[in-house]
PDB file of all heavy atoms in Angstrom:
ATOM      1  N   ILE A   1     -29.836 -23.185   6.546  1.00 98.00           N
ATOM      2  CA  ILE A   1     -29.392 -22.497   5.334  1.00 98.00           C
ATOM      3  C   ILE A   1     -30.403 -22.753   4.221  1.00 98.00           C
ATOM      4  O   ILE A   1     -30.916 -23.865   4.072  1.00 98.00           O
ATOM      5  CB  ILE A   1     -27.993 -22.979   4.900  1.00 98.00           C
ATOM      6  CG1 ILE A   1     -26.957 -22.684   5.993  1.00 98.00           C
ATOM      7  CG2 ILE A   1     -27.570 -22.345   3.579  1.00 98.00           C
ATOM      8  CD1 ILE A   1     -25.596 -23.309   5.742  1.00 98.00           C
ATOM      9  N   ALA A   2     -30.671 -21.714   3.433  1.00 98.00           N
ATOM     10  CA  ALA A   2     -31.473 -21.852   2.219  1.00 98.00           C
ATOM     11  C   ALA A   2     -30.572 -21.612   1.018  1.00 98.00           C
ATOM     12  O   ALA A   2     -29.769 -20.669   1.002  1.00 98.00           O
ATOM     13  CB  ALA A   2     -32.638 -20.870   2.214  1.00 98.00           C
ATOM     14  N   VAL A   3     -30.696 -22.469   0.014  1.00 98.00           N
ATOM     15  CA  VAL A   3     -29.846 -22.425  -1.180  1.00 98.00           C
ATOM     16  C   VAL A   3     -30.729 -22.489  -2.414  1.00 98.00           C
ATOM     17  O   VAL A   3     -31.754 -23.193  -2.427  1.00 98.00           O
ATOM     18  CB  VAL A   3     -28.840 -23.605  -1.165  1.00 98.00           C
ATOM     19  CG1 VAL A   3     -28.079 -23.694  -2.470  1.00 98.00           C
ATOM     20  CG2 VAL A   3     -27.878 -23.480   0.010  1.00 98.00           C
ATOM     21  N   ASP A   4     -30.345 -21.779  -3.445  1.00 97.00           N
ATOM     22  CA  ASP A   4     -31.019 -21.900  -4.740  1.00 97.00           C
ATOM     23  C   ASP A   4     -30.655 -23.260  -5.329  1.00 97.00           C
ATOM     24  O   ASP A   4     -29.468 -23.516  -5.604  1.00 97.00           O
ATOM     25  CB  ASP A   4     -30.568 -20.778  -5.669  1.00 97.00           C
ATOM     26  CG  ASP A   4     -31.323 -20.768  -6.988  1.00 97.00           C
ATOM     27  OD1 ASP A   4     -31.533 -21.858  -7.575  1.00 97.00           O
ATOM     28  OD2 ASP A   4     -31.696 -19.684  -7.458  1.00 97.00           O
ATOM     29  N   PRO A   5     -31.620 -24.155  -5.562  1.00 95.00           N
ATOM     30  CA  PRO A   5     -31.277 -25.505  -6.024  1.00 95.00           C
ATOM     31  C   PRO A   5     -30.792 -25.552  -7.471  1.00 95.00           C
ATOM     32  O   PRO A   5     -30.234 -26.566  -7.890  1.00 95.00           O
ATOM     33  CB  PRO A   5     -32.591 -26.275  -5.852  1.00 95.00           C
ATOM     34  CG  PRO A   5     -33.651 -25.238  -5.952  1.00 95.00           C
ATOM     35  CD  PRO A   5     -33.075 -23.991  -5.351  1.00 95.00           C
ATOM     36  N   VAL A   6     -30.981 -24.495  -8.216  1.00 95.00           N
ATOM     37  CA  VAL A   6     -30.527 -24.467  -9.605  1.00 95.00           C
ATOM     38  C   VAL A   6     -29.082 -23.997  -9.705  1.00 95.00           C
ATOM     39  O   VAL A   6     -28.276 -24.556 -10.456  1.00 95.00           O
ATOM     40  CB  VAL A   6     -31.436 -23.563 -10.461  1.00 95.00           C
ATOM     41  CG1 VAL A   6     -30.901 -23.459 -11.893  1.00 95.00           C
ATOM     42  CG2 VAL A   6     -32.863 -24.095 -10.462  1.00 95.00           C
ATOM     43  N   THR A   7     -28.715 -22.988  -8.898  1.00 96.00           N
ATOM     44  CA  THR A   7     -27.384 -22.390  -9.004  1.00 96.00           C
ATOM     45  C   THR A   7     -26.463 -22.740  -7.837  1.00 96.00           C
ATOM     46  O   THR A   7     -25.243 -22.585  -7.950  1.00 96.00           O
ATOM     47  CB  THR A   7     -27.509 -20.857  -9.064  1.00 96.00           C
ATOM     48  OG1 THR A   7     -28.037 -20.382  -7.802  1.00 96.00           O
ATOM     49  CG2 THR A   7     -28.441 -20.435 -10.185  1.00 96.00           C
ATOM     50  N   GLY A   8     -27.029 -23.174  -6.707  1.00 96.00           N
ATOM     51  CA  GLY A   8     -26.228 -23.420  -5.517  1.00 96.00           C
ATOM     52  C   GLY A   8     -25.892 -22.167  -4.736  1.00 96.00           C
ATOM     53  O   GLY A   8     -25.131 -22.209  -3.766  1.00 96.00           O
ATOM     54  N   LYS A   9     -26.453 -21.028  -5.113  1.00 97.00           N
ATOM     55  CA  LYS A   9     -26.188 -19.770  -4.426  1.00 97.00           C
ATOM     56  C   LYS A   9     -26.955 -19.714  -3.108  1.00 97.00           C
ATOM     57  O   LYS A   9     -28.139 -20.041  -3.042  1.00 97.00           O
ATOM     58  CB  LYS A   9     -26.593 -18.595  -5.319  1.00 97.00           C
ATOM     59  CG  LYS A   9     -26.308 -17.230  -4.696  1.00 97.00           C
ATOM     60  CD  LYS A   9     -26.729 -16.104  -5.631  1.00 97.00           C
ATOM     61  CE  LYS A   9     -26.468 -14.737  -4.996  1.00 97.00           C
ATOM     62  NZ  LYS A   9     -26.900 -13.629  -5.887  1.00 97.00           N
ATOM     63  N   GLU A  10     -26.258 -19.283  -2.060  1.00 98.00           N
ATOM     64  CA  GLU A  10     -26.901 -19.162  -0.745  1.00 98.00           C
ATOM     65  C   GLU A  10     -27.933 -18.040  -0.757  1.00 98.00           C
ATOM     66  O   GLU A  10     -27.661 -16.935  -1.237  1.00 98.00           O
ATOM     67  CB  GLU A  10     -25.850 -18.901   0.328  1.00 98.00           C
ATOM     68  CG  GLU A  10     -26.417 -18.849   1.739  1.00 98.00           C
ATOM     69  CD  GLU A  10     -25.342 -18.676   2.790  1.00 98.00           C
ATOM     70  OE1 GLU A  10     -24.421 -19.526   2.851  1.00 98.00           O
ATOM     71  OE2 GLU A  10     -25.421 -17.681   3.553  1.00 98.00           O
ATOM     72  N   ILE A  11     -29.116 -18.330  -0.213  1.00 98.00           N
ATOM     73  CA  ILE A  11     -30.188 -17.334  -0.117  1.00 98.00           C
ATOM     74  C   ILE A  11     -30.179 -16.680   1.256  1.00 98.00           C
ATOM     75  O   ILE A  11     -30.237 -15.461   1.382  1.00 98.00           O
ATOM     76  CB  ILE A  11     -31.557 -17.993  -0.396  1.00 98.00           C
ATOM     77  CG1 ILE A  11     -31.581 -18.621  -1.792  1.00 98.00           C
ATOM     78  CG2 ILE A  11     -32.683 -16.972  -0.241  1.00 98.00           C
ATOM     79  CD1 ILE A  11     -32.821 -19.471  -2.073  1.00 98.00           C
ATOM     80  N   TRP A  12     -30.116 -17.496   2.291  1.00 98.00           N
ATOM     81  CA  TRP A  12     -29.987 -16.970   3.653  1.00 98.00           C
ATOM     82  C   TRP A  12     -29.355 -18.014   4.556  1.00 98.00           C
ATOM     83  O   TRP A  12     -29.288 -19.189   4.206  1.00 98.00           O
ATOM     84  CB  TRP A  12     -31.318 -16.467   4.214  1.00 98.00           C
ATOM     85  CG  TRP A  12     -32.492 -17.423   4.233  1.00 98.00           C
ATOM     86  CD1 TRP A  12     -33.583 -17.385   3.409  1.00 98.00           C
ATOM     87  CD2 TRP A  12     -32.724 -18.526   5.145  1.00 98.00           C
ATOM     88  NE1 TRP A  12     -34.469 -18.396   3.734  1.00 98.00           N
ATOM     89  CE2 TRP A  12     -33.972 -19.108   4.808  1.00 98.00           C
ATOM     90  CE3 TRP A  12     -32.004 -19.079   6.198  1.00 98.00           C
ATOM     91  CZ2 TRP A  12     -34.500 -20.218   5.472  1.00 98.00           C
ATOM     92  CZ3 TRP A  12     -32.525 -20.185   6.877  1.00 98.00           C
ATOM     93  CH2 TRP A  12     -33.759 -20.731   6.509  1.00 98.00           C
ATOM     94  N   ARG A  13     -28.907 -17.563   5.720  1.00 98.00           N
ATOM     95  CA  ARG A  13     -28.278 -18.422   6.707  1.00 98.00           C
ATOM     96  C   ARG A  13     -28.695 -17.943   8.082  1.00 98.00           C
ATOM     97  O   ARG A  13     -28.694 -16.749   8.371  1.00 98.00           O
ATOM     98  CB  ARG A  13     -26.748 -18.362   6.558  1.00 98.00           C
ATOM     99  CG  ARG A  13     -25.969 -19.096   7.641  1.00 98.00           C
ATOM    100  CD  ARG A  13     -24.474 -18.909   7.427  1.00 98.00           C
ATOM    101  NE  ARG A  13     -24.023 -19.585   6.213  1.00 98.00           N
ATOM    102  CZ  ARG A  13     -22.979 -20.401   6.161  1.00 98.00           C
ATOM    103  NH1 ARG A  13     -22.285 -20.664   7.266  1.00 98.00           N
ATOM    104  NH2 ARG A  13     -22.627 -20.961   5.034  1.00 98.00           N
ATOM    105  N   PHE A  14     -29.050 -18.907   8.956  1.00 98.00           N
ATOM    106  CA  PHE A  14     -29.461 -18.578  10.328  1.00 98.00           C
ATOM    107  C   PHE A  14     -28.582 -19.336  11.310  1.00 98.00           C
ATOM    108  O   PHE A  14     -28.437 -20.558  11.215  1.00 98.00           O
ATOM    109  CB  PHE A  14     -30.932 -18.955  10.559  1.00 98.00           C
ATOM    110  CG  PHE A  14     -31.353 -18.884  11.998  1.00 98.00           C
ATOM    111  CD1 PHE A  14     -31.602 -17.660  12.599  1.00 98.00           C
ATOM    112  CD2 PHE A  14     -31.478 -20.044  12.761  1.00 98.00           C
ATOM    113  CE1 PHE A  14     -31.978 -17.592  13.939  1.00 98.00           C
ATOM    114  CE2 PHE A  14     -31.855 -19.984  14.098  1.00 98.00           C
ATOM    115  CZ  PHE A  14     -32.105 -18.751  14.692  1.00 98.00           C
ATOM    116  N   ASP A  15     -27.987 -18.597  12.264  1.00 97.00           N
ATOM    117  CA  ASP A  15     -27.133 -19.192  13.283  1.00 97.00           C
ATOM    118  C   ASP A  15     -27.870 -19.170  14.619  1.00 97.00           C
ATOM    119  O   ASP A  15     -28.045 -18.101  15.217  1.00 97.00           O
ATOM    120  CB  ASP A  15     -25.826 -18.417  13.401  1.00 97.00           C
ATOM    121  CG  ASP A  15     -24.851 -19.034  14.402  1.00 97.00           C
ATOM    122  OD1 ASP A  15     -25.230 -20.017  15.075  1.00 97.00           O
ATOM    123  OD2 ASP A  15     -23.722 -18.515  14.522  1.00 97.00           O
ATOM    124  N   PRO A  16     -28.313 -20.332  15.124  1.00 96.00           N
ATOM    125  CA  PRO A  16     -29.086 -20.340  16.365  1.00 96.00           C
ATOM    126  C   PRO A  16     -28.267 -19.974  17.598  1.00 96.00           C
ATOM    127  O   PRO A  16     -28.836 -19.640  18.641  1.00 96.00           O
ATOM    128  CB  PRO A  16     -29.579 -21.787  16.454  1.00 96.00           C
ATOM    129  CG  PRO A  16     -28.552 -22.572  15.719  1.00 96.00           C
ATOM    130  CD  PRO A  16     -28.105 -21.681  14.594  1.00 96.00           C
ATOM    131  N   PHE A  17     -26.948 -20.043  17.500  1.00 93.00           N
ATOM    132  CA  PHE A  17     -26.102 -19.818  18.675  1.00 93.00           C
ATOM    133  C   PHE A  17     -25.459 -18.433  18.690  1.00 93.00           C
ATOM    134  O   PHE A  17     -24.700 -18.113  19.599  1.00 93.00           O
ATOM    135  CB  PHE A  17     -25.025 -20.900  18.735  1.00 93.00           C
ATOM    136  CG  PHE A  17     -25.577 -22.293  18.657  1.00 93.00           C
ATOM    137  CD1 PHE A  17     -25.313 -23.087  17.562  1.00 93.00           C
ATOM    138  CD2 PHE A  17     -26.399 -22.792  19.657  1.00 93.00           C
ATOM    139  CE1 PHE A  17     -25.837 -24.369  17.476  1.00 93.00           C
ATOM    140  CE2 PHE A  17     -26.926 -24.065  19.574  1.00 93.00           C
ATOM    141  CZ  PHE A  17     -26.649 -24.858  18.483  1.00 93.00           C
ATOM    142  N   GLU A  18     -25.754 -17.623  17.698  1.00 92.00           N
ATOM    143  CA  GLU A  18     -25.179 -16.286  17.639  1.00 92.00           C
ATOM    144  C   GLU A  18     -25.609 -15.463  18.855  1.00 92.00           C
ATOM    145  O   GLU A  18     -26.796 -15.365  19.175  1.00 92.00           O
ATOM    146  CB  GLU A  18     -25.610 -15.574  16.356  1.00 92.00           C
ATOM    147  CG  GLU A  18     -24.968 -14.222  16.158  1.00 92.00           C
ATOM    148  CD  GLU A  18     -25.353 -13.583  14.840  1.00 92.00           C
ATOM    149  OE1 GLU A  18     -26.181 -14.184  14.111  1.00 92.00           O
ATOM    150  OE2 GLU A  18     -24.843 -12.507  14.538  1.00 92.00           O
ATOM    151  N   GLY A  19     -24.627 -14.899  19.555  1.00 85.00           N
ATOM    152  CA  GLY A  19     -24.928 -14.068  20.704  1.00 85.00           C
ATOM    153  C   GLY A  19     -25.274 -14.825  21.968  1.00 85.00           C
ATOM    154  O   GLY A  19     -25.726 -14.225  22.949  1.00 85.00           O
ATOM    155  N   THR A  20     -25.081 -16.167  21.979  1.00 80.00           N
ATOM    156  CA  THR A  20     -25.384 -16.969  23.156  1.00 80.00           C
ATOM    157  C   THR A  20     -24.140 -17.727  23.597  1.00 80.00           C
ATOM    158  O   THR A  20     -23.146 -17.793  22.883  1.00 80.00           O
ATOM    159  CB  THR A  20     -26.512 -17.976  22.880  1.00 80.00           C
ATOM    160  OG1 THR A  20     -25.995 -19.051  22.059  1.00 80.00           O
ATOM    161  CG2 THR A  20     -27.679 -17.320  22.176  1.00 80.00           C
ATOM    162  N   GLU A  21     -24.220 -18.296  24.797  1.00 75.00           N
ATOM    163  CA  GLU A  21     -23.128 -19.123  25.290  1.00 75.00           C
ATOM    164  C   GLU A  21     -23.309 -20.585  24.903  1.00 75.00           C
ATOM    165  O   GLU A  21     -22.432 -21.414  25.163  1.00 75.00           O
ATOM    166  CB  GLU A  21     -23.028 -19.000  26.816  1.00 75.00           C
ATOM    167  CG  GLU A  21     -22.643 -17.593  27.288  1.00 75.00           C
ATOM    168  CD  GLU A  21     -22.506 -17.510  28.791  1.00 75.00           C
ATOM    169  OE1 GLU A  21     -22.774 -18.533  29.460  1.00 75.00           O
ATOM    170  OE2 GLU A  21     -22.151 -16.436  29.297  1.00 75.00           O
ATOM    171  N   ASP A  22     -24.445 -20.909  24.303  1.00 75.00           N
ATOM    172  CA  ASP A  22     -24.688 -22.279  23.859  1.00 75.00           C
ATOM    173  C   ASP A  22     -23.843 -22.547  22.618  1.00 75.00           C
ATOM    174  O   ASP A  22     -23.348 -21.632  21.961  1.00 75.00           O
ATOM    175  CB  ASP A  22     -26.179 -22.482  23.551  1.00 75.00           C
ATOM    176  CG  ASP A  22     -26.591 -23.936  23.643  1.00 75.00           C
ATOM    177  OD1 ASP A  22     -25.714 -24.788  23.879  1.00 75.00           O
ATOM    178  OD2 ASP A  22     -27.786 -24.227  23.473  1.00 75.00           O
ATOM    179  N   ARG A  23     -23.699 -23.809  22.289  1.00 76.00           N
ATOM    180  CA  ARG A  23     -22.891 -24.153  21.127  1.00 76.00           C
ATOM    181  C   ARG A  23     -23.451 -25.408  20.478  1.00 76.00           C
ATOM    182  O   ARG A  23     -24.271 -26.115  21.050  1.00 76.00           O
ATOM    183  CB  ARG A  23     -21.434 -24.378  21.524  1.00 76.00           C
ATOM    184  CG  ARG A  23     -21.216 -25.488  22.526  1.00 76.00           C
ATOM    185  CD  ARG A  23     -19.770 -25.564  22.971  1.00 76.00           C
ATOM    186  NE  ARG A  23     -19.559 -26.593  23.979  1.00 76.00           N
ATOM    187  CZ  ARG A  23     -19.328 -27.868  23.713  1.00 76.00           C
ATOM    188  NH1 ARG A  23     -19.285 -28.285  22.462  1.00 76.00           N
ATOM    189  NH2 ARG A  23     -19.134 -28.741  24.676  1.00 76.00           N
ATOM    190  N   ALA A  24     -22.982 -25.662  19.277  1.00 80.00           N
ATOM    191  CA  ALA A  24     -23.462 -26.819  18.530  1.00 80.00           C
ATOM    192  C   ALA A  24     -22.968 -28.106  19.169  1.00 80.00           C
ATOM    193  O   ALA A  24     -21.800 -28.240  19.530  1.00 80.00           O
ATOM    194  CB  ALA A  24     -22.984 -26.732  17.079  1.00 80.00           C
ATOM    195  N   ARG A  25     -23.885 -29.050  19.329  1.00 77.00           N
ATOM    196  CA  ARG A  25     -23.542 -30.380  19.823  1.00 77.00           C
ATOM    197  C   ARG A  25     -24.209 -31.405  18.906  1.00 77.00           C
ATOM    198  O   ARG A  25     -25.247 -31.152  18.334  1.00 77.00           O
ATOM    199  CB  ARG A  25     -24.029 -30.580  21.262  1.00 77.00           C
ATOM    200  CG  ARG A  25     -23.329 -29.690  22.290  1.00 77.00           C
ATOM    201  CD  ARG A  25     -23.902 -29.964  23.686  1.00 77.00           C
ATOM    202  NE  ARG A  25     -23.202 -29.216  24.727  1.00 77.00           N
ATOM    203  CZ  ARG A  25     -23.506 -27.987  25.097  1.00 77.00           C
ATOM    204  NH1 ARG A  25     -24.490 -27.355  24.490  1.00 77.00           N
ATOM    205  NH2 ARG A  25     -22.832 -27.382  26.049  1.00 77.00           N
ATOM    206  N   ASP A  26     -23.591 -32.569  18.815  1.00 82.00           N
ATOM    207  CA  ASP A  26     -24.159 -33.678  18.055  1.00 82.00           C
ATOM    208  C   ASP A  26     -24.359 -33.306  16.590  1.00 82.00           C
ATOM    209  O   ASP A  26     -23.597 -32.529  16.037  1.00 82.00           O
ATOM    210  CB  ASP A  26     -25.470 -34.154  18.705  1.00 82.00           C
ATOM    211  CG  ASP A  26     -25.252 -34.587  20.136  1.00 82.00           C
ATOM    212  OD1 ASP A  26     -24.380 -35.437  20.368  1.00 82.00           O
ATOM    213  OD2 ASP A  26     -25.938 -34.069  21.029  1.00 82.00           O
ATOM    214  N   VAL A  27     -25.410 -33.830  15.971  1.00 88.00           N
ATOM    215  CA  VAL A  27     -25.641 -33.616  14.550  1.00 88.00           C
ATOM    216  C   VAL A  27     -27.088 -33.184  14.343  1.00 88.00           C
ATOM    217  O   VAL A  27     -27.906 -33.212  15.260  1.00 88.00           O
ATOM    218  CB  VAL A  27     -25.370 -34.898  13.734  1.00 88.00           C
ATOM    219  CG1 VAL A  27     -23.916 -35.318  13.854  1.00 88.00           C
ATOM    220  CG2 VAL A  27     -26.279 -36.042  14.193  1.00 88.00           C
ATOM    221  N   ASN A  28     -27.393 -32.792  13.122  1.00 92.00           N
ATOM    222  CA  ASN A  28     -28.766 -32.456  12.767  1.00 92.00           C
ATOM    223  C   ASN A  28     -29.059 -33.042  11.395  1.00 92.00           C
ATOM    224  O   ASN A  28     -28.230 -32.924  10.479  1.00 92.00           O
ATOM    225  CB  ASN A  28     -28.970 -30.944  12.752  1.00 92.00           C
ATOM    226  CG  ASN A  28     -30.395 -30.567  12.415  1.00 92.00           C
ATOM    227  OD1 ASN A  28     -30.796 -30.599  11.251  1.00 92.00           O
ATOM    228  ND2 ASN A  28     -31.169 -30.211  13.423  1.00 92.00           N
ATOM    229  N   ARG A  29     -30.214 -33.675  11.250  1.00 94.00           N
ATOM    230  CA  ARG A  29     -30.507 -34.389  10.009  1.00 94.00           C
ATOM    231  C   ARG A  29     -31.565 -33.715   9.156  1.00 94.00           C
ATOM    232  O   ARG A  29     -32.136 -34.337   8.275  1.00 94.00           O
ATOM    233  CB  ARG A  29     -30.877 -35.842  10.346  1.00 94.00           C
ATOM    234  CG  ARG A  29     -29.684 -36.544  10.994  1.00 94.00           C
ATOM    235  CD  ARG A  29     -29.872 -38.010  11.237  1.00 94.00           C
ATOM    236  NE  ARG A  29     -28.635 -38.558  11.783  1.00 94.00           N
ATOM    237  CZ  ARG A  29     -28.522 -39.184  12.942  1.00 94.00           C
ATOM    238  NH1 ARG A  29     -29.590 -39.390  13.695  1.00 94.00           N
ATOM    239  NH2 ARG A  29     -27.360 -39.625  13.363  1.00 94.00           N
ATOM    240  N   GLY A  30     -31.844 -32.431   9.436  1.00 96.00           N
ATOM    241  CA  GLY A  30     -32.721 -31.710   8.545  1.00 96.00           C
ATOM    242  C   GLY A  30     -33.759 -30.866   9.240  1.00 96.00           C
ATOM    243  O   GLY A  30     -33.811 -30.773  10.470  1.00 96.00           O
ATOM    244  N   VAL A  31     -34.598 -30.253   8.433  1.00 98.00           N
ATOM    245  CA  VAL A  31     -35.603 -29.313   8.922  1.00 98.00           C
ATOM    246  C   VAL A  31     -36.989 -29.760   8.481  1.00 98.00           C
ATOM    247  O   VAL A  31     -37.143 -30.635   7.615  1.00 98.00           O
ATOM    248  CB  VAL A  31     -35.323 -27.886   8.402  1.00 98.00           C
ATOM    249  CG1 VAL A  31     -33.935 -27.422   8.827  1.00 98.00           C
ATOM    250  CG2 VAL A  31     -35.457 -27.821   6.871  1.00 98.00           C
ATOM    251  N   ALA A  32     -38.004 -29.143   9.080  1.00 98.00           N
ATOM    252  CA  ALA A  32     -39.401 -29.386   8.702  1.00 98.00           C
ATOM    253  C   ALA A  32     -39.987 -28.101   8.131  1.00 98.00           C
ATOM    254  O   ALA A  32     -39.551 -26.995   8.465  1.00 98.00           O
ATOM    255  CB  ALA A  32     -40.206 -29.863   9.910  1.00 98.00           C
ATOM    256  N   TYR A  33     -40.993 -28.269   7.285  1.00 98.00           N
ATOM    257  CA  TYR A  33     -41.621 -27.132   6.606  1.00 98.00           C
ATOM    258  C   TYR A  33     -43.107 -27.120   6.883  1.00 98.00           C
ATOM    259  O   TYR A  33     -43.759 -28.174   6.914  1.00 98.00           O
ATOM    260  CB  TYR A  33     -41.375 -27.242   5.101  1.00 98.00           C
ATOM    261  CG  TYR A  33     -42.079 -26.198   4.255  1.00 98.00           C
ATOM    262  CD1 TYR A  33     -41.517 -24.939   4.065  1.00 98.00           C
ATOM    263  CD2 TYR A  33     -43.296 -26.485   3.637  1.00 98.00           C
ATOM    264  CE1 TYR A  33     -42.150 -23.988   3.271  1.00 98.00           C
ATOM    265  CE2 TYR A  33     -43.934 -25.541   2.848  1.00 98.00           C
ATOM    266  CZ  TYR A  33     -43.370 -24.290   2.666  1.00 98.00           C
ATOM    267  OH  TYR A  33     -43.994 -23.354   1.888  1.00 98.00           O
ATOM    268  N   TRP A  34     -43.661 -25.909   7.092  1.00 98.00           N
ATOM    269  CA  TRP A  34     -45.107 -25.740   7.286  1.00 98.00           C
ATOM    270  C   TRP A  34     -45.557 -24.515   6.511  1.00 98.00           C
ATOM    271  O   TRP A  34     -44.822 -23.516   6.417  1.00 98.00           O
ATOM    272  CB  TRP A  34     -45.440 -25.553   8.762  1.00 98.00           C
ATOM    273  CG  TRP A  34     -46.886 -25.207   9.025  1.00 98.00           C
ATOM    274  CD1 TRP A  34     -47.914 -26.071   9.200  1.00 98.00           C
ATOM    275  CD2 TRP A  34     -47.446 -23.893   9.115  1.00 98.00           C
ATOM    276  NE1 TRP A  34     -49.095 -25.383   9.405  1.00 98.00           N
ATOM    277  CE2 TRP A  34     -48.828 -24.038   9.357  1.00 98.00           C
ATOM    278  CE3 TRP A  34     -46.913 -22.608   9.019  1.00 98.00           C
ATOM    279  CZ2 TRP A  34     -49.689 -22.953   9.502  1.00 98.00           C
ATOM    280  CZ3 TRP A  34     -47.769 -21.503   9.153  1.00 98.00           C
ATOM    281  CH2 TRP A  34     -49.125 -21.684   9.399  1.00 98.00           C
ATOM    282  N   GLU A  35     -46.757 -24.594   5.950  1.00 98.00           N
ATOM    283  CA  GLU A  35     -47.373 -23.443   5.311  1.00 98.00           C
ATOM    284  C   GLU A  35     -48.849 -23.411   5.622  1.00 98.00           C
ATOM    285  O   GLU A  35     -49.473 -24.456   5.857  1.00 98.00           O
ATOM    286  CB  GLU A  35     -47.158 -23.476   3.787  1.00 98.00           C
ATOM    287  CG  GLU A  35     -47.804 -24.663   3.102  1.00 98.00           C
ATOM    288  CD  GLU A  35     -47.466 -24.754   1.618  1.00 98.00           C
ATOM    289  OE1 GLU A  35     -46.476 -24.124   1.194  1.00 98.00           O
ATOM    290  OE2 GLU A  35     -48.191 -25.463   0.889  1.00 98.00           O
TER     291      GLU A  35
END
């Protein structure tokens, strides 16, 4: 999920399991960024 840090408004959301038989397991502690 991307959020505006000033307002808290959601910018976008990505669901990795949409349309698949896989499902969320365990936890996730964050993402990495590259440019």
Side-chain angles (χ1 to χ4, degrees):
I1 299 171
V3 172
D4 185 317
V6 176
T7 66
K9 182 180 179 181
E10 184 176 302
I11 301 171
W12 55 253
R13 173 183 293 230
F14 169 77
D15 183 355
F17 307 113
E18 185 177 3
T20 74
E21 295 182 357
D22 203 357
R23 60 186 178 86
R25 294 179 176 87
D26 302 306
V27 297
N28 181 282
R29 297 186 177 122
V31 302
Y33 175 84
W34 173 87
E35 63 186 18

